[in-house]
Amino acid sequence: MSLTAASSRGVVAAPHSAAVETGRAILAEGGDAYEAMVGMAATVAVVYPHMNAIGGDGFWLVREPTGEVRYIEACSVAGSRATIGFYRDRGHDEIPARGPLAALTAPCAVDGWRLALEISESYGGRLPLDMLLADAVRHARAGYAVSPGQGRTVPKLAHELFEAPGFADVFLVDGKLRAAGDMFGQPKLADTLEHIGRAGLRDFFEGDVGREIAADLERIGAPVTRDDMKKREARLRPALEVRLKGASVYNSRPPTQGLVSLMILGVLERLGVKGDEDAAFIHACVEATKRAFLVRDVMCVDHDRMPQDPRDVLTPGALDRETAAVDLNRAAPYPASRTGEGDTIWMGAIDAKGRAVSYIQSIYWEYGSGCVSPSTGVLLQNRGAAFSLDPNAPNALAPGRQPFHTLNPALAVFDDGRTIVYGAMGGEGQPQTQAQIFARHAWLGLPIEEALARPRFRLGRSWGENDASLRYEPRFAGEEIDRLERMGHRVLAWGEAFDDEAGHAGMIVRRPDGGIEGGHDPRADGGAAGA
């Protein structure tokens, strides 16, 4: 499959070729970008299970042909039994990352699909749900070849993951994960997807599927109830926006770190970007990230518990103050920040009418909690492990609260008429990857394919490691790395020239003349396709 594509009838991009093909086919059938994305989201949940699942969360940014920008928040909340006392009474000082006690939030991604399709229908969307889910059902029932990315994934806390209820029955063969190229089917998940294709997406929460998931969670001792499932709903919220020279950039609100992504761009623009592979560029991005992370650890909490309006830190004055705190010649100490690990997929779609979707879907760590509902085949996320058991922490656990999310889909509208959707996976690296690919394409004028392929770097942790050094792909010039060390950065190269730890990113651009082009990351297993 090609990494890039161009078409005036629509373009999709995704980290797995099967999801790309689903989206392309839906656009070719006359579907809009909402419909294409729902189909892609279902397919990628089947064929990329180490990165996402329908038992997780999702966040949408959409620009309508009218210019309106919508943000759909399909975010889980802690179950009604998920209290600090619940974990303390069981001898825990922190929330386990694997197993039943890690499956403490009621997932919401599927209701985001529902809300997206309701909006699509209001604009004339007409494709039936069972058609949108057909590819996902087929792959789950007939099986698919495990991708190279899934095959090379080494999960953290693998022993605990393998012991999670239901995991071994679905994902292991002779006690081991399948290798790349092995066939893998999920018949129970196929049944579930087929059922909600007929019964409707709310069945996942209020109907037979929701009942079975809740019963399975209760059986294994997870603190999520049937009522928690019934109450889970996606919602529309205003998107966050930062104004740059010649463009408005949008992202998601807390509890996601969309605020961080916008702050980094605002500071980076003020510092100035002249190149993209020299020490000056890397240093500027990293120092902007450190300033944004200080704000994140206070602001990116449950939406109803934010200490101030997030727009306050995106004003020109606020960004000027953050920029003034950056030393262009010396690295600042790296702030002690919350764990930023997480597994995610980003996908994009722009249709022939110019409707643009930036979407991100996740289960937090690779394979999430590891718990698989035996009645439904649904893998449950461990997003709630991001909560703190310290009652005074900004992200303290309590029933009904939203956990912190590294997820953040990005979208930019330029004064010259271009619309860009872009995003990445990679925990704390997501906003940093976004800044690098945006700067390369929007400010330095690099083609999409080159902007995505150029070497990348990341401060802090991602989904597979604990090291908080400034990590980089070993394609940067040695003298630039030496200069970074002299500036005070603690640097460490990744092992591969195109390393998964650098994130999987994608981008689609619609030009004023209606032409659309897009691409996805050579580090992933997908690409882009035009209708």
Side-chain angles (χ1 to χ4, degrees), residues 28-47:
E29 193 66 28
D32 63 25
Y34 285 112
E35 294 170 313
M37 190 55 67
V38 168
M40 294 165 69
T43 294
V44 82
V46 172
V47 301

Side-chain angles (χ1 to χ4, degrees), residues 1 3 14 75 88 119 141 235 285 303 357 367 369 390 509:
M1 171 163 284
L3 292 175
C75 182
R88 295 291 191 198
I119 297 170
R141 194 173 305 288
R235 66 186 75 186
C285 285
H303 190 274
V357 173
Y367 298 103
S369 69
D390 177 356
V509 181

Side-chain angles (χ1 to χ4, degrees), residues 278-493:
D278 57 9
F281 175 71
I282 298 172
H283 177 76
C285 285
V286 169
E287 296 308 298
T289 297
K290 291 175 182 176
R291 299 304 307 171
F293 277 1
L294 288 171
V295 174
R296 177 196 69 178
D297 291 345
V298 176
M299 287 292 299
C300 294
V301 298
D302 179 282
H303 190 274
D304 295 333
R305 301 180 67 248
M306 290 184 293
Q308 68 183 101
D309 190 325
R311 293 174 296 183
D312 293 346
V313 300
L314 296 173
T315 63
L319 293 170
D320 288 344
R321 289 190 294 273
E322 294 295 339
T323 305
V326 173
D327 186 335
L328 289 175
N329 299 305
R330 193 70 190 165
Y334 181 42
S337 62
R338 69 181 72 194
T339 299
E341 299 159 301
D343 278 319
T344 305
I345 58 90
W346 176 88
M347 301 188 295
I350 300 182
D351 62 29
K353 293 182 178 179
R355 183 171 289 106
V357 173
S358 182
Y359 179 64
I360 200 158
Q361 185 167 273
S362 177
I363 48 172
Y364 199 31
W365 285 25
E366 66 283 344
Y367 298 103
S369 69
C371 299
V372 180
S373 160
S375 304
T376 65
V378 174
L379 175 64
L380 281 308
Q381 66 183 352
N382 65 333
R383 180 61 60 179
F387 283 117
S388 172
L389 296 183
D390 177 356
N392 298 314
N395 201 36
L397 174 65
R401 284 186 183 170
Q402 298 171 318
F404 166 67
H405 274 274
T406 53
L407 312 186
N408 61 118
L411 187 152
V413 180
F414 287 78
D415 295 351
D416 63 13
R418 286 175 295 158
T419 298
I420 301 180
V421 295
Y422 64 102
M425 57 75 87
E428 289 188 337
Q430 286 185 40
Q432 301 175 65
T433 299
Q434 286 187 20
Q436 291 169 61
I437 65 174
F438 181 91
R440 286 167 167 165
H441 180 73
W443 291 337
L444 299 178
L446 295 180
I448 292 174
E449 184 173 15
E450 191 173 350
L452 295 173
R454 288 244 186 149
R456 292 205 289 262
F457 53 87
R458 188 203 69 226
L459 176 71
R461 294 172 293 272
S462 185
W463 55 278
E465 57 185 36
N466 288 319
D467 191 281
S469 302
L470 171 54
R471 305 297 302 271
Y472 64 93
E473 291 180 317
R475 292 181 283 142
F476 288 100
E479 58 267 26
E480 301 300 332
I481 301 302
D482 292 343
R483 185 180 167 201
L484 288 168
E485 289 189 292
R486 291 195 296 271
M487 297 169 97
H489 294 283
R490 184 161 60 94
V491 299
L492 182 64

